Amino acid sequence: MVLGLSFCGLLLALLLTGSRPDFFETATTLTLNRTSTLDQREVDYYLFDNYYGIQSSGFLADTVVSWLASPPVVTEIYERAGLVVPKVNSPFKLGKLFKARKIIPATVQISLRDPDSEVSKKLVASAIEAIKARTETFNKAGEQTASRFQVFAEDPVTLKRQKPYLLNGLSTLIVAFVVSILLVFVKAYFPKN
């Protein structure tokens, strides 16, 4: 009985995993840089080897990560890509579509999963455009300063995600085995008279 229930659970897990649609993940890396038009030779004070430029680029990286978690920015990205914004229960679920993480000091990794590889490519390209446009807005707001922010984007990479047959199969096998042992104990504890 234990082995039969465990095998049925394993078979069910493998069938359900196989019936799930394929997913594609598109990822890119953005490098943010604050360049200064001042050169150390041109000024009579110390510029600290661009220390503050690196630090402000890091703050911009934090801002970019928060942009990709913002529902209005995600809506803008979908509109730039010419795609319909997904219908979700809460606007904050839109902010969970993109996975963005900062890598110190001023690099941001962006990834997106979608069943359609072309859609995920379009959305990541649109996200890069939106980030560059917003960064340019920062630059225009600070035109009187002697520095500008730049966004350098790597070419996006799209890969087909492998279905987790091994993980789902093993975890279901373990759970089914434990549940079937519990059922055997319950059946032994409450015998039929």
Side-chain angles (χ1 to χ4, degrees):
M1 180 172 157
V2 172
L3 291 177
L5 287 175
S6 299
F7 181 73
C8 288
L10 174 65
L11 189 61
L12 180 66
L14 295 177
L15 287 173
L16 289 175
T17 302
S19 67
R20 291 182 58 202
D22 290 331
F23 273 90
F24 295 88
E25 187 165 8
T26 301
T28 190
T29 302
L30 303 178
T31 304
L32 309 167
N33 188 26
R34 182 177 178 215
T35 58
S36 177
T37 57
L38 292 177
D39 188 41
Q40 185 65 60
R41 293 171 287 194
E42 298 172 355
V43 294
D44 57 353
Y45 52 89
Y46 186 57
L47 292 177
F48 298 99
D49 294 330
N50 201 23
Y51 170 77
Y52 294 107
I54 293 169
Q55 194 174 31
S56 63
S57 296
F59 290 136
L60 180 62
D62 290 331
T63 304
V64 168
V65 170
S66 66
W67 283 341
L68 292 171
S70 169
V73 175
V74 174
T75 302
E76 176 189 338
I77 290 169
Y78 270 86
E79 289 170 353
R80 280 180 179 267
L83 298 169
V84 177
V85 179
K87 299 204 183 300
V88 291
N89 319 7
S90 165
F92 295 104
K93 287 193 178 184
L94 284 176
K96 295 183 180 182
L97 295 176
F98 284 92
K99 303 290 183 242
R101 70 182 188 120
K102 177 184 169 187
I103 301 172
I104 295 179
T107 304
V108 177
Q109 286 183 340
I110 301 170
S111 64
L112 173 78
R113 286 179 48 180
D114 197 87
D116 186 349
S117 67
E118 292 305 314
V119 168
S120 70
K121 288 176 187 176
K122 269 184 174 179
L123 286 171
V124 169
S126 178
I128 292 169
E129 290 173 17
I131 290 166
K132 285 183 176 182
R134 286 176 173 267
T135 303
E136 193 54 39
T137 303
F138 272 9
N139 288 333
K140 287 180 182 173
E143 281 184 350
Q144 67 276 10
T145 64
S147 62
R148 296 183 53 77
F149 286 108
Q150 295 174 313
V151 178
F152 301 100
E154 301 291 330
D155 290 333
V157 175
T158 302
L159 298 173
K160 183 178 177 182
R161 298 275 304 198
Q162 298 295 322
K163 292 183 181 180
Y165 285 108
L166 183 62
L167 176 68
N168 290 353
L170 283 177
S171 59
T172 304
L173 186 63
I174 292 168
V175 169
F177 185 74
V178 170
V179 168
S180 62
I181 287 177
L182 288 174
L183 286 175
V184 167
F185 284 141
V186 167
K187 186 176 178 183
Y189 187 75
F190 297 110
K192 293 181 182 177
N193 290 335

